Amino acid sequence: MHQSVVVNLLRGGAAVEPHHTVQLRKLCCFSVNRGRMSRPLQRGSRRVSDCGDPSNSQTRDKGEKEVVQRARSLGGPLEIASLFKFWSRRSSLPVGGDDDHGKANLKAFAEENGVGSDLKDLPLPPNAPRGRSSLFLQILKSGLVLLILLALCGSFWWTFTISSSSSSSSSSIGYRGYRRLQEQVMEDFSDIGVLSLGLAKIRELEFCPPELEDYVPCFNATGSSEEGSAETEQYERKCDPKSKNNCLILPPKDYRVPLRWPTGRDVIWSTNVKITPEEVVSSGSLTKRMMMLEDNQFSFRSETPFVDGVEDYSHQIAEMIGLPNEAYFVGAGVRTVLDIGCGYGSFGAHLFSKQLLTMCIANYEASGSQVQLTLERGLPAMIGSFGSKQLPYPYLSFDMVHCARCGVDWSLKGGAFLIEADRVLRPGGYFVWTSSITNTHRSVRNKENLKKWNYIRNFASNLCWELLSQQEETAVWKKTSKRDCYTSRETGTRPSICTKGHDIEYPYYRPLVSCIGGTQSSRWIPIEERTTWPSRAKLNSTELSLHGARRDEFDEDDVHWKSTVRNYWSLLSPLIFSDHPKRPGDEDPLPPYNMLRNVMDMNARFGGFNAALLDSGKSVWVMNVVPVANPNYLPLILDRGFIGVLHDWCEAFPTYPRTYDMLHVDGLFSLESVLQHRCTVFDIFLEMDRIVRPEGWVVLHDKSSNIDIARSLATQMKWDARVVEIASNNEERLLICQKPLIKKLPWS
């Protein structure tokens, strides 16, 4: 069975992976250990086997010599005797990929028994033809294969017998015992499957050096610039497939698991993010107000003064729109907000309490990152900038676009940034801009600011935006709800309306355009005419038809995910979700006791997983990712009042390390198999390990063959993993993984 492994071992020069040792010993001890009970999913636990006891080395060596002498005296093939001796001493030979001592022992062993550099070079007695040796090896291999097949059939029959008997029993204890036995059997089967698939060469990955603890692929950390400036291209997304680090990114030395929501919204550990007190003090953004509680904590409070506080600021915006206060935003059709240069997410944190969902986007920052701190608080955010590329959202995606001293110079590039803001803004939506430029009293004394203000105001008018109100440093525009506004403009007015070739609904980092998009879309529905939240999440048949989705297909997906989420809760509680007891050393958490806050659905489809989580009352938000290789239902997801993004999983996701509590992976690897020429599942796993937090979870649902591969890769990532059978589906399985918190660094 793995003849090449034996050949390489006898050569003494080829590397032998440690995983071979583990898997082959498991195969030898399978019949002894297959009936043992499954262990709990805890870090630090290891299986212990009593196979290969080295205490009887003298007796074993004597027996080996007798076998070798008997083989030589009978004129039999020397390889068989040598192989018998080798495998009987297998556990005592120190072998490894770079272990010179192990190689020397192997060479000595080969020379001791007259074995040359390869099996074909072994000296054979005159009366032992090579044909007889080959025939004997073929019979031996066939016997091993037959033995494995018989063991598999017998074990499957044994499992089926227990399943039949347990289904008729009313004892929950007996059923749990059966499930543990079944899971253990499947683990052992998977071990054999790994050997048969040739995946035994999997090696453990090394850790990245400490300077990469905040590494974000596809972004250049050199230079310094503000968003909207000519130098912004240095910070723009540039993915190079050749520049990959095949190592595991470690957390900072004093990293601590974030506090539960909602406490974690207002208090974070200062050691979890890369920022200095000096950067906090020097920050000029309205929303970058922070107070250090203690040496190891940052506190964000709504009463922290910016304007007259976040609450007063949002109240002012509501009044400028014509509403009594911010509680009326939802009734006015506002649900999703794009917050550009969000500071540290204080505006979005306040709006969340009003049932508004805010997506923060900000430039990549090597230190003091707005995106990193916002995500650490449990609020939606991703890296994105106004440079030369369009944002990865379809047109008509958000009900409000907000910019409070966000650093974008809206007058640059002939108003291209304002055109991009208009592209993602829904009809009837609001553009809110807070800046010193909008303060006309001060701009009178600053001719440059006055020039910019006049340009932006006139350009917004050409976009068919109505200036609703201007107070001090804040101005609010409303995008037109009527398409005929564009045709009623004077001839030659710029910007023009996009032609079909340029009016692309869901661009993926395409160059900025200089025309108005989305005006011919069937999704052109003013926000005041849309169903308000939360009824908005349940699209009617007319709305579904706009996205090419059928009513029965959508309803089936909805029922499926509600049932699946309930099963996740029963399966994983109290391990993951809300009703979890506090961690050792934690204070009693405030309701809703959530272990999870930031969730990513890596293959979202209709956003059904997101909807099921909200229906179950869980205080989470979901980043719905639609792979570029999948049918694009991202506009449907956004129209449901959720947030999401288009992404190519052969590239790095635009976020910092350790930013998500849970990754949900449903059928992604079956989908990405078509992209094998561009990337591998291994590459996707490395990216998943980068973005999931220590003690975070990965839930994979896929075909059984893909789950087998995923389980082996999870071992490479040093995750704790458990395969779970799906009672109603024999062709698919679940893989539940948890990333451990590694506190002791290899070099510390």
Side-chain angles (χ1 to χ4, degrees):
M1 192 169 64
H2 295 289
Q3 183 175 353
S4 61
V5 177
V6 178
V7 171
N8 291 335
L9 286 170
L10 293 179
R11 285 178 181 173
V16 180
E17 300 288 354
H19 193 67
H20 284 89
T21 306
V22 175
Q23 299 293 351
L24 288 170
R25 291 190 66 185
K26 283 186 178 180
L27 185 60
C28 295
C29 303
F30 173 74
S31 60
V32 176
N33 295 332
R34 71 171 185 172
R36 67 193 168 194
M37 298 294 289
S38 169
R39 73 190 192 287
L41 189 61
Q42 296 177 349
R43 295 186 299 279
S45 60
R46 295 287 184 271
R47 296 178 187 170
V48 181
S49 175
D50 56 359
C51 299
D53 186 1
S55 61
N56 297 323
S57 58
Q58 295 181 355
T59 305
R60 185 173 63 250
D61 292 343
K62 181 178 179 181
E64 292 167 358
K65 292 179 180 179
E66 291 178 357
V67 171
V68 174
Q69 293 173 0
R70 182 178 301 175
R72 287 174 173 168
S73 64
L74 294 176
L78 180 58
E79 301 97 306
I80 306 303
S82 300
L83 286 175
F84 176 86
K85 182 175 182 180
F86 170 73
W87 290 116
S88 64
R89 295 175 59 187
R90 181 70 177 87
S91 62
S92 63
L93 285 174
V95 294
D98 298 319
D99 193 340
D100 295 336
H101 182 63
K103 293 179 180 178
N105 285 345
L106 288 172
K107 290 182 179 180
F109 167 75
E111 294 173 0
E112 174 188 344
N113 295 279
V115 181
S117 61
D118 205 336
L119 286 175
K120 66 181 182 180
D121 298 328
L122 291 173
L124 297 175
N127 58 346
R130 293 182 182 270
R132 183 182 304 172
S133 173
S134 300
L135 178 62
F136 189 87
L137 286 174
Q138 292 293 335
I139 294 174
L140 179 61
K141 288 189 289 185
S142 300
L144 287 173
V145 172
L146 180 61
L147 180 62
I148 291 173
L149 290 176
L150 290 175
L152 287 172
C153 293
S155 298
F156 274 121
W157 175 83
W158 167 68
T159 305
F160 177 77
T161 302
I162 294 180
S163 177
S164 300
S165 60
S166 64
S167 62
S168 61
S169 173
S170 60
S171 172
S172 59
I173 297 178
Y175 177 74
R176 288 195 298 268
Y178 151 69
R179 292 293 296 179
R180 291 176 180 175
L181 286 173
Q182 186 185 47
E183 290 169 7
Q184 186 59 58
V185 169
M186 294 312 301
E187 286 184 8
D188 292 332
F189 287 169
S190 179
D191 292 340
I192 295 177
V194 167
L195 286 174
S196 65
L197 290 172
L199 296 176
K201 296 181 180 180
I202 289 179
R203 58 181 176 80
E204 286 193 354
L205 292 170
E206 297 180 351
F207 292 110
C208 299
E211 56 267 22
L212 294 181
E213 65 185 26
D214 294 300
Y215 173 64
V216 180
C218 299
F219 288 90
N220 184 4
T222 61
S224 61
S225 62
E226 291 186 352
E227 293 187 70
S229 63
E231 293 81 11
T232 303
E233 294 182 3
Q234 296 185 39
Y235 281 93
E236 285 195 337
R237 184 175 177 277
K238 298 177 182 179
C239 294
D240 183 5
K242 298 180 181 179
S243 59
K244 291 184 178 179
N245 294 313
N246 292 336
C247 57
L248 302 178
I249 295 179
L250 282 165
K253 182 178 180 181
D254 298 320
Y255 180 87
R256 299 181 66 175
V257 175
L259 300 171
R260 287 180 180 83
W261 180 272
T263 304
R265 175 192 59 200
D266 300 324
V267 180
I268 66 172
W269 303 111
S270 59
T271 53
N272 288 8
V273 294
K274 189 174 183 181
I275 187 171
T276 63
E278 291 76 15
E279 287 176 318
V280 175
V281 173
S282 62
S283 173
S285 173
L286 266 163
T287 52
K288 285 185 175 180
R289 295 293 186 262
M290 181 186 300
M291 178 179 64
M292 188 177 295
L293 264 183
E294 299 175 359
D295 291 339
N296 61 344
Q297 286 183 334
F298 289 127
S299 175
F300 308 83
R301 303 292 181 186
S302 61
E303 61 266 24
T304 300
F306 104 67
V307 188
D308 290 323
V310 177
E311 185 174 353
D312 289 342
Y313 176 69
S314 59
H315 185 86
Q316 177 191 4
I317 294 173
E319 288 184 335
M320 293 173 72
I321 290 174
L323 303 174
N325 55 56
E326 65 272 27
Y328 289 83
F329 275 139
V330 171
V334 179
R335 160 63 181 171
T336 55
V337 179
L338 181 66
D339 194 3
I340 304 168
C342 61
Y344 301 136
S346 296
F347 183 62
H350 175 69
L351 292 183
F352 182 80
S353 65
K354 309 301 179 183
Q355 300 188 59
L356 272 66
L357 194 57
T358 302
M359 166 71 83
C360 162
I361 62 167
N363 218 5
Y364 169 79
E365 297 164 291
S367 180
S369 167
Q370 304 171 63
V371 171
Q372 186 183 42
L373 270 79
T374 300
L375 284 164
E376 188 70 17
R377 298 182 63 185
L379 301 167
M382 61 176 284
I383 301 173
S385 62
F386 281 80
S388 62
K389 303 289 180 64
Q390 291 179 313
L391 299 172
Y393 312 117
Y395 51 57
L396 315 180
S397 297
F398 296 93
D399 305 313
M400 179 184 288
V401 175
H402 175 257
C403 165
R405 292 184 182 174
C406 59
V408 176
D409 188 343
W410 298 105
S411 64
L412 288 181
K413 295 193 175 183
F417 300 145
L418 284 172
I419 294 175
E420 178 64 4
D422 177 83
R423 185 184 70 84
V424 299
L425 188 61
R426 288 193 175 99
Y430 302 97
F431 180 79
V432 181
W433 184 31
T434 298
S435 169
S436 59
I437 295 177
T438 63
N439 191 324
T440 54
H441 297 291
R442 295 180 182 177
S443 296
V444 171
R445 296 189 296 270
N446 188 323
K447 293 183 178 181
E448 184 65 26
N449 283 351
L450 183 61
K451 180 180 178 181
K452 288 183 178 181
W453 166 247
N454 290 330
Y455 177 87
I456 293 170
R457 186 178 57 182
N458 293 331
F459 197 92
S461 178
N462 291 343
L463 291 172
C464 288
W465 291 4
E466 178 189 0
L467 181 60
L468 296 182
S469 180
Q470 179 183 358
Q471 295 180 11
E472 298 178 346
E473 293 188 344
T474 301
V476 177
W477 284 268
K478 181 179 176 65
K479 180 176 178 176
T480 184
S481 300
K482 300 177 181 180
R483 292 174 175 169
D484 58 7
C485 174
Y486 303 104
T487 57
S488 63
R489 298 181 304 169
E490 294 182 4
T491 304
T493 300
R494 296 290 178 180
S496 60
I497 304 300
C498 290
T499 61
K500 286 187 177 180
H502 293 88
D503 196 8
I504 300 174
E505 182 173 18
Y506 22 78
Y508 186 66
Y509 297 107
R510 288 175 174 264
L512 289 173
V513 296
S514 58
C515 56
I516 302 173
T519 59
Q520 305 302 318
S521 172
S522 58
R523 293 175 52 237
W524 182 280
I525 303 174
I527 62 171
E528 56 267 19
E529 296 179 13
R530 289 182 177 272
T531 306
T532 57
W533 180 263
S535 301
R536 183 171 169 177
K538 298 175 174 59
L539 299 179
N540 58 43
S541 299
T542 303
E543 292 169 327
L544 288 174
S545 64
L546 299 178
H547 302 281
R550 301 194 314 270
R551 176 86 260 172
D552 58 337
E553 186 181 22
F554 183 82
D555 291 342
E556 182 181 351
D557 183 79
D558 186 60
V559 172
H560 163 73
W561 283 114
K562 286 182 179 179
S563 173
T564 300
V565 166
R566 284 195 300 268
N567 291 336
Y568 282 173
W569 252 252
S570 62
L571 176 68
L572 302 175
S573 294
L575 293 179
I576 294 183
F577 294 102
S578 53
D579 309 315
H580 191 287
K582 64 178 183 178
R583 295 190 186 94
D586 279 2
E587 296 181 358
D588 292 332
L590 297 173
Y593 312 104
N594 238 29
M595 288 286 291
L596 295 184
R597 174 61 184 169
N598 301 356
V599 177
M600 177 184 286
D601 191 355
M602 297 176 63
N603 186 19
R605 202 166 180 250
F606 294 151
F609 182 64
N610 191 159
L613 287 173
L614 295 180
D615 287 342
S616 62
K618 305 304 175 183
S619 297
V620 301
W621 67 270
V622 180
M623 177 68 79
N624 294 282
V625 182
V626 176
V628 293
N630 220 15
N632 194 341
Y633 288 110
L634 181 58
L636 183 150
I637 292 172
L638 295 168
D639 284 354
R640 297 184 72 178
F642 305 149
I643 58 173
V645 67
L646 197 64
H647 184 64
D648 181 356
W649 280 115
C650 284
E651 300 172 350
F653 192 80
T655 189
Y656 289 81
R658 305 173 300 277
T659 47
Y660 284 87
D661 302 304
M662 175 180 171
L663 304 180
H664 180 246
V665 193
D666 179 65
L668 176 67
F669 300 136
S670 297
L671 173 69
E672 293 295 329
S673 61
V674 301
L675 303 175
Q676 286 290 331
H677 63 287
R678 295 183 54 242
C679 66
T680 64
V681 177
F682 173 80
D683 297 324
I684 300 175
F685 260 76
L686 269 180
E687 177 63 6
M688 291 163 60
D689 182 82
R690 185 183 73 87
I691 63 181
V692 72
R693 284 172 173 165
E695 291 196 7
W697 298 85
V698 179
V699 179
L700 301 101
H701 174 217
D702 216 308
K703 296 178 181 178
S704 296
S705 57
N706 290 335
I707 291 297
D708 289 337
I709 297 174
R711 182 171 177 265
S712 301
L713 292 172
T715 302
Q716 270 193 282
M717 304 296 146
K718 307 182 191 301
W719 298 348
D720 295 319
R722 173 60 49 84
V723 175
V724 179
E725 298 299 303
I726 301 176
S728 59
N729 193 335
N730 295 328
E731 298 180 356
E732 298 176 353
R733 288 188 288 175
L734 282 175
L735 182 66
I736 311 298
C737 307
Q738 185 179 29
K739 178 180 177 178
L741 172 57
I742 300 175
K743 294 184 177 181
K744 186 176 181 181
L745 306 183
W747 44 76
S748 60

